[in-house]
Amino acid sequence: MEKVQKMTREHGVVIFSKSTCCLSYAVSILFQDLGVIPYVCEIDHESDGKEMEKALIRMGVNSSFMFPAIFIGGLLVGSTNEVMSLHLQGSLIKHIKPYTSNLKSN
């Protein structure tokens, strides 16, 4: 659990994923379009990936819809649905603003 917590503390926007998850790619592109380069951890490429999955569940990630699991500022936001909802409501930018210096204005 410490490894997962350390990643979420050290990086402003973290996407935990598996290499086969196309939704992770879509969310990553959204963040990049908004001026943030997310830290992407593909846990199926980690030697302790199973332990990381268990840690994510203990941290509140829904085991039924586990990936992508997105953290902003060390806090669990959720998955693609939650990020897209924040974006459509216009509040995603305020969450990611501390982690970018070149927000695009619309």
Side-chain angles (χ1 to χ4, degrees), residues 6 17 34 56-57 87:
K6 183 178 180 191
S17 179
L34 295 174
L56 288 167
I57 292 169
H87 184 52

Side-chain angles (χ1 to χ4, degrees), residues 14-35:
V14 181
I15 301 172
F16 290 96
S17 179
K18 290 197 174 178
S19 58
T20 57
C21 181
C22 63
L23 292 176
S24 297
Y25 176 76
V27 170
S28 179
I29 294 299
L30 171 64
F31 283 122
Q32 291 175 44
D33 284 348
L34 295 174

